[in-house]
Amino acid sequence: MKRLLVLNGPNLNLLGKREPGIYGHGTLDDAVKLARETAAEKGIEVDEYQSNHEGDLIDAIQQAEGKYEGVIFNPAAYTHTSIGLRDAISAIEVPVVEVHISNVHQRESFRHQSMLSPVCQGQIVGFGLLGYRLAALALMESFEGRR
Ligand code: DQA
């Protein structure tokens, strides 16, 4: 059975309550559900993990190797700062798709740079929670193409 991991970084546990004008009213469970339902259409299972701690996210990326076909990753604020996460993504073969709920390019300039995009398969930005569904579709298309 193929599996995907939905990985979420700091403060995303607060989705639904956190800055709803930017992130909407949907919760993290809603985001995971979208990815899970999308993957289930192709018989693929989804696990999820959220942490507010950079090292825990690095551990999760390292442990994805050999276990998952792909990772849907919203690194939240660590997107803009974390060389450690970038190196972890570089160290594994599993494709990672970077997701942002908001359009980071319309926001403060410090959000315009991603440390991670260069080592991710792709980036989905600004489509709200739908981004989690789009990322699942993108990963599934790409590993079907690889067969
Ligand atoms: C975010 C964008 C980041 O800049 C921010 O720090 C987040 C959420 C998004 O999903 O839009 O926490 O990753």
Side-chain angles (χ1 to χ4, degrees):
M1 172 73 78
K2 289 192 164 79
R3 305 182 82 80
L4 297 178
L5 175 65
V6 178
L7 184 60
N8 284 285
N11 302 306
L12 293 171
N13 53 313
L14 301 179
L15 278 179
K17 292 182 282 208
R18 173 192 183 200
E19 298 185 271
I22 295 174
Y23 299 112
H25 293 281
T27 64
L28 187 57
D29 282 350
D30 295 333
V32 173
K33 195 168 163 221
L34 273 175
R36 186 165 278 139
E37 285 173 355
T38 304
E41 289 163 18
K42 303 262 181 182
I44 292 166
E45 296 210 337
V46 166
D47 291 336
E48 62 156 322
Y49 181 66
Q50 186 275 333
S51 176
N52 293 325
H53 305 281
E54 188 175 11
D56 290 344
L57 295 166
I58 292 171
D59 288 344
I61 298 268
Q62 289 184 8
Q63 287 158 15
E65 189 78 311
K67 191 166 172 202
Y68 296 103
E69 298 289 319
V71 178
I72 297 166
F73 187 23
N74 187 342
Y78 291 134
T79 306
H80 317 296
T81 61
S82 180
I83 297 170
L85 279 169
R86 179 184 173 129
D87 288 349
I89 294 168
S90 296
I92 62 167
E93 296 287 328
V94 185
V96 176
V97 173
E98 180 184 339
V99 173
H100 299 287
I101 296 162
S102 64
N103 184 342
V104 284
H105 302 291
Q106 293 173 343
R107 300 180 62 195
E108 302 94 327
S109 57
F110 63 84
R111 294 185 205 275
H112 298 176
Q113 192 191 1
S114 167
M115 302 299 282
L116 310 184
S117 295
V119 296
C120 288
Q121 188 180 40
Q123 192 193 40
I124 296 170
V125 165
F127 292 103
L129 297 190
L130 175 63
Y132 289 81
R133 172 168 163 75
L134 297 175
L137 284 171
L139 280 166
M140 294 190 305
E141 287 285 325
S142 67
F143 58 68
E144 278 178 4
R146 258 193 271 145
R147 257 192 248 128

